[in-house]
């Protein structure tokens, strides 16, 4: 009986060891580590939406969309149809809610789908430069924001947006002076350069940085270099201004940025001939690697704050 008692105790202890060991198995530990690693990843995508800009940022804490493209441009065999490429791309990414919608300026290929995005994706906050526009896309955007209870935030140089998980976005342009000047000019029905009203901002996450530029042209680039030098412009990745137009990407500006990669968002139909040969030659001469949405499809940048990777859809 004593022998049977000790055997029973031994078998019970062995069972307890096995059970307690299941919670710390190698598979469970690895899965937890992988989950933590995934949570630390920030993903930035230059979406392939034809002519225009649409940049999707997912920090793990927030989903941010910078610009929306237009609803009248469409590439390839569907040219001429309503442009659902943005919504197809967002659906492909599994997006159901957008925390922050940033529109860089009031041109249709950057803001044309803003009203539809607000209605469809329960946008939490609309961020723009505060400069008014008589254009229907701008008016439709504000109407949708007001009708859906979206917080509206106007930004200028010096403002810093918190994207969560240590990801910051510092606004470098437009200045409050430019906002006041163009607002006054528009009130007086005077012409302004809407491209130069673009929100230019630098995203930072650990050692990683990326410069977002809208359609800012050389006049603004010159001011940015004079104001910031390379200290706040220097970035691993440069979202090329104005779809690779020769109106932007001046040599002094690109030298101040010192990018390793240049990302160009443009349409395959070459509505405006983008990208132009002048900036492309400059990038080549400076040894900067280039990807374009017209050639590579959606471009994905992933970073853990130390290293990063750039991949094209095709």
């Amino acid at each position: 009986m004593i022998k049977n008692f000790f055997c029973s105790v031994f078998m019970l202890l062995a069972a307890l060891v096995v059970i307690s060991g299941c919670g710390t198995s190698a598979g469970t530990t690895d899965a937890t580590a992988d989950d933590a690693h995934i949570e630390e990843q920030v993903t930035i995508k230059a979406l392939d939406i034809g002519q225009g800009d649409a940049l999707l940022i997912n920090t793990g804490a927030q989903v941010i969309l910078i610009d929306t493209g237009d609803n009248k441009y469409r590439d390839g065999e569907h040219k001429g149809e309503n442009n659902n490429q943005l919504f197809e791309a967002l659906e492909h990414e599994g997006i159901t809610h957008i925390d922050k919608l940033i529109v860089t300026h009031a041109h249709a290929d950057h803001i044309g789908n803003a009203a539809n995005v607000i209605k469809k994706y329960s946008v939490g906050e609309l961020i723009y430069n505060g400069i008014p526009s008589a254009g229907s896309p701008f008016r439709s955007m504000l109407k949708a924001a007001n009708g859906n209870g979206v917080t509206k935030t106007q930004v200028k140089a010096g403002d810093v947006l918190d994207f969560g998980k240590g990801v910051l976005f510092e606004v470098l342009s437009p200045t409050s002076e430019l906002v006041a000047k163009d607002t006054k000019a528009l009130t007086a029905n005077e012409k302004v350069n809407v491209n130069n009203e673009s929100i230019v901002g630098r995203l930072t996450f650990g050692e990683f940085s990326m410069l977002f530029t809208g359609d800012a042209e050389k006049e603004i680039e010159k001011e940015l270099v004079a104001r910031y030098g390379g200290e706040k412009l220097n970035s691993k990745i440069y979202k090329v201004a104005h779809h690779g137009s020769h109106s932007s990407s001046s040599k002094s500006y690109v030298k101040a940025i010192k990018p390793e990669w240049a990302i160009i968002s443009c349409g395959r139909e070459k509505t405006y001939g983008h990208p132009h040969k002048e900036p492309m030659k400059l990038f080549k001469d400076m040894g900067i690697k280039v990807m374009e949405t017209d050639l590579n499809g959606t471009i994905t940048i992933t970073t853990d704050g130390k290293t990063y990777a750039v991949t094209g859809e095709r």
Side-chain angles (χ1 to χ4, degrees):
M1 181 179 294
I2 294 175
K3 181 178 179 182
N4 290 339
F5 171 77
F6 280 114
C7 287
S8 298
V9 170
F10 177 79
M11 291 175 67
L12 176 62
L13 289 173
L16 287 171
V17 168
V18 170
I19 292 170
S20 64
C22 290
T24 56
S25 67
T28 305
T29 304
D30 288 348
T32 304
D34 286 346
D35 289 344
H37 181 66
I38 291 170
E39 289 175 0
E40 294 170 359
Q41 288 279 339
V42 170
T43 304
I44 303 166
K45 291 178 180 277
L47 300 176
D48 180 19
I49 50 98
Q51 170 60 33
D53 271 10
L55 296 121
L56 183 67
I57 303 167
N58 193 333
T59 67
Q62 296 182 32
V63 174
I64 302 98
L65 182 65
I66 301 180
D67 288 332
T68 68
D70 200 356
N71 58 10
K72 73 175 183 178
Y73 295 109
R74 192 172 179 91
D75 278 332
E77 62 182 13
H78 301 293
K79 183 181 179 183
E81 297 179 12
N82 287 337
N83 185 2
N84 295 315
Q85 285 175 273
L86 174 67
F87 302 112
E88 291 166 3
L90 292 175
E91 183 178 352
H92 178 74
E93 298 299 329
I95 302 301
T96 58
H97 169 76
I98 293 173
D99 296 282
K100 289 181 172 67
L101 170 60
I102 301 174
V103 292
T104 58
H105 63 297
H107 277 159
D109 61 337
H110 291 254
I111 199 175
N113 258 325
N116 294 328
V117 168
I118 289 169
K119 294 172 186 176
K120 188 176 177 65
Y121 292 99
S122 61
V123 171
E125 183 179 11
L126 170 65
I127 298 169
Y128 66 116
N129 58 25
I131 302 171
S133 171
S136 59
F138 182 83
R139 289 185 282 109
S140 296
M141 176 188 75
L142 290 188
K143 182 179 178 181
N146 292 333
N148 288 270
V150 177
T151 299
K152 300 192 297 296
T153 302
Q154 300 176 12
V155 295
K156 61 186 183 305
D159 291 336
V160 178
L161 304 175
D162 186 350
F163 288 173
K165 294 291 184 77
V167 182
L168 299 177
F169 184 90
E170 182 175 1
V171 179
L172 305 179
S173 189
T175 62
S176 56
E177 292 80 10
L178 176 59
V179 171
K181 177 178 72 70
D182 278 15
T183 299
K184 183 178 179 180
L186 288 165
T187 304
N189 292 318
E190 297 174 6
K191 189 175 181 180
V192 299
N193 186 338
V194 177
N195 283 341
N196 283 341
E197 298 172 352
S198 292
I199 292 174
V200 177
R202 183 172 180 259
L203 179 148
T204 55
F205 176 52
E207 299 169 14
F208 174 81
S209 52
M210 179 170 176
L211 190 68
F212 295 80
T213 55
D215 281 354
E217 298 184 1
K218 291 178 180 178
E219 178 185 354
I220 295 298
E221 293 176 353
K222 183 177 180 180
E223 293 178 7
L224 287 169
V225 171
R227 190 182 311 127
Y228 300 113
E231 182 181 357
K232 288 190 177 180
L233 292 176
N234 180 243
S235 301
K236 301 288 187 184
I237 297 178
Y238 168 41
K239 201 294 293 181
V240 176
H242 204 180
H243 320 288
S245 169
H246 53 59
S247 68
S248 307
S249 299
S250 56
K251 186 174 183 179
S252 60
Y253 187 56
V254 178
K255 284 181 69 176
I257 301 169
K258 295 181 182 176
E260 296 171 356
W261 280 90
I263 304 300
I264 302 174
S265 181
C266 57
R268 293 192 293 279
E269 297 297 333
K270 303 297 181 186
T271 308
Y272 301 100
H274 298 146
H276 292 156
K277 62 182 180 180
E278 293 88 346
M280 295 299 284
K281 182 179 185 304
L282 177 63
F283 299 149
K284 182 178 179 180
D285 291 346
M286 294 181 66
I288 300 167
K289 298 180 283 291
V290 177
M291 273 201 185
E292 309 170 27
T293 57
D294 60 328
L295 300 178
N296 304 110
T298 291
I299 300 163
T300 301
I301 301 138
T302 55
T303 177
D304 59 5
K306 294 182 179 180
T307 62
Y308 73 92
V310 178
T311 56
E313 186 179 24
R314 56 177 181 267

